[in-house]
Amino acid sequence: RMYKRLMTCRGDINSLNVPFLALYESLIPPEEEKAKQKQLLTLLEKLVSKEWPKAQLYLYGSCANSFGVCKSDIDVCLAIEETAMDKSEIILKLADILKSDNLQNVQALTRARVPIVKLMDPVTEISCDICVNNLLAVVNTKLLRDYAQVDARLRQLAFIIKHWAKSRGVNETYQGTLSSYAYVLMCIHFLQMRRPAILPCLQEMETTYSVTVDDIKCGYFDEVEKLRDFGRHNKETIAQLVWGFFFYWAYCHDYADSVISVRTGNIISKREKDWTRRIGNDRHLICIEDPFELSHDLGRVVDKSSIKVLREEFERAADILQYDSNPCVKLFEPY
Ligand code: ATP
Ligand code: MG
């Protein structure tokens, strides 16, 4: 009985469409921001090519995957075939090159899990992280951007979920909660699983785009302009989807056995992945398969105490959307 009551959302859920869409619109970066990012990228390209004429710079992460809100930092990947130097040496050299120009706070973080150079450009006021040869991130950025083209509801849902996660303090990987990348994958998977489906599974379709990166073959259907009306049979509104997302993660997901997989557009079992027990620091308490790096669980950062925090936040959000009289304010209340 309790379950039945919970399964159907409040009758007036659609009254939340207007405030949710207004929030989404307010988070979209203005066009000038894109232009400034390009300007900074051009400057960086100029500086890097003096030292490494064959190197290339790619934007990745939220500035390129279409899930970036306004005033985000940009993520840049330096692609370089440099056999004489290891990654830390390249990072240090890169920092030196960039220090010589009018860039501020140039720091080389060689000991980070992903070594980067951080900097701030005073002209555009944009901060930037530059990593080296992290080409899988460039490819998964394209996958996310392509999914966003298929149905407008993905970008709306992901902006709202990211905004919620930041407001509630559950978008902090160093505290054991999830990355923005993980939340976007959760949104894509959720929309793949709707019936009728709102998103297809691009990796199960004919391969029209294919690259091999670090020995991993990454291929999928990327002619997404042909899929623009894929989700037309599903009329769910953004308010219903936001509620459904939280309800799924609060009350339906099987944390003991299930792995969500955008690659297959399905749920797979932990047994199948051999993710049933803790190995080293990987506890697999919430399992989100990376679409290309299949041994990589994006939930690996989650530990015994942060899983509790996360699940309580999913429940809180689902319950607010169900019962609260002012859900739009309550949902995003700072923690
Ligand atoms: P934000 O708006 O919060 O900056 P973001 O989209 O830039 O969001 P991040 O979590 O900062 O997201 O990640 C940046 C990019 O790095 C992702 O888009 C993804 O390509 C890559 N990435 C991040 N975390 C991982 C990971 N654990 N495994 C593989 N790739 C990752
Ligand atoms: Mg980022």
Side-chain angles (χ1 to χ4, degrees), residues 84-103:
M85 289 163 108
D86 68 21
K87 232 180 218 183
S88 310
E89 291 171 321
I90 298 173
I91 290 283
L92 290 168
K93 176 93 204 161
L94 178 62
D96 278 343
I97 296 167
L98 300 173
K99 270 176 195 160
S100 63
D101 200 78
N102 176 32
L103 293 166

Side-chain angles (χ1 to χ4, degrees), residues 60-63 65 67-69 72-73 75 113 134 136-138 140-141 144 162 166 171 179-182 184 290 293 296 298 300:
Y60 74 101
S62 62
C63 58
N65 65 16
F67 296 101
V69 302
S72 323
D73 300 348
D75 298 302
R113 193 181 57 86
N134 187 8
L136 269 179
V138 176
N140 69 38
T141 293
L144 266 44
K162 274 178 69 172
K166 285 183 205 290
N171 180 208
S179 66
S180 297
Y181 177 57
V184 175
D290 186 86
E293 218 179 336
H296 189 24
L298 289 151
R300 76 203 296 176

Side-chain angles (χ1 to χ4, degrees), residues 217-235:
K217 195 159 182 227
C218 308
Y220 67 91
F221 184 79
D222 77 335
E223 295 173 4
V224 282
E225 57 295 337
K226 296 184 182 156
L227 299 173
R228 284 277 160 71
D229 56 359
F230 179 90
R232 70 186 178 286
H233 299 299
N234 184 316
K235 309 276 186 230

Side-chain angles (χ1 to χ4, degrees), residues 20 160 164 167-168 242 246 313 316-318 320-321 326-333:
F20 278 154
I160 292 165
W164 162 84
S167 312
R168 299 298 302 168
V242 172
F246 287 122
E313 282 296 331
R316 173 186 179 276
I320 286 172
L321 289 174
N326 196 1
C328 250
V329 172
K330 223 18 194 307
L331 188 61
F332 305 106
E333 226 160 55

Side-chain angles (χ1 to χ4, degrees), residues 122-261:
V123 179
T124 57
E125 294 182 314
I126 296 176
S127 297
C128 163
D129 291 350
I130 309 176
C131 67
V132 175
N133 290 343
N134 187 8
L135 288 168
L136 269 179
V138 176
V139 180
N140 69 38
T141 293
K142 173 173 157 63
L143 179 71
L144 266 44
R145 185 175 61 235
D146 286 337
Y147 268 114
Q149 306 273 317
V150 177
D151 196 291
R153 288 169 287 186
L154 170 60
R155 198 167 173 233
Q156 296 164 357
L157 177 67
F159 270 51
I160 292 165
I161 301 302
K162 274 178 69 172
H163 183 66
W164 162 84
K166 285 183 205 290
S167 312
R168 299 298 302 168
V170 288
N171 180 208
E172 312 284 356
T173 46
Y174 64 91
Q175 288 176 1
T177 55
L178 299 169
S179 66
S180 297
Y181 177 57
Y183 282 112
V184 175
L185 291 174
M186 289 158 80
C187 291
I188 294 173
H189 186 258
F190 175 72
L191 298 182
Q192 287 176 325
M193 297 291 283
R194 304 311 290 164
R195 291 298 173 265
I198 293 179
L199 290 179
C201 175
L202 297 177
Q203 289 171 274
E204 297 258 281
M205 296 170 65
E206 174 202 354
T207 304
T208 55
Y209 167 81
S210 159
V211 282
T212 301
V213 179
D214 305 338
D215 295 327
I216 298 175
K217 195 159 182 227
C218 308
Y220 67 91
F221 184 79
D222 77 335
E223 295 173 4
V224 282
E225 57 295 337
K226 296 184 182 156
L227 299 173
R228 284 277 160 71
D229 56 359
F230 179 90
R232 70 186 178 286
H233 299 299
N234 184 316
K235 309 276 186 230
E236 284 176 294
T237 64
I238 187 62
Q240 290 167 328
L241 293 169
V242 172
W243 172 78
F245 178 90
F246 287 122
F247 188 78
Y248 173 77
W249 286 100
Y251 301 113
C252 307
H253 182 71
D254 182 352
Y255 287 80
D257 282 328
S258 297
V259 176
I260 65 154
S261 161

Side-chain angles (χ1 to χ4, degrees), residues 4-23:
K4 193 155 183 198
R5 194 179 62 171
L6 278 168
M7 271 307 278
T8 40
C9 59
R10 66 205 285 161
D12 63 347
I13 187 79
N14 282 326
S15 66
L16 297 177
N17 284 325
V18 169
F20 278 154
L21 288 175
L23 171 63

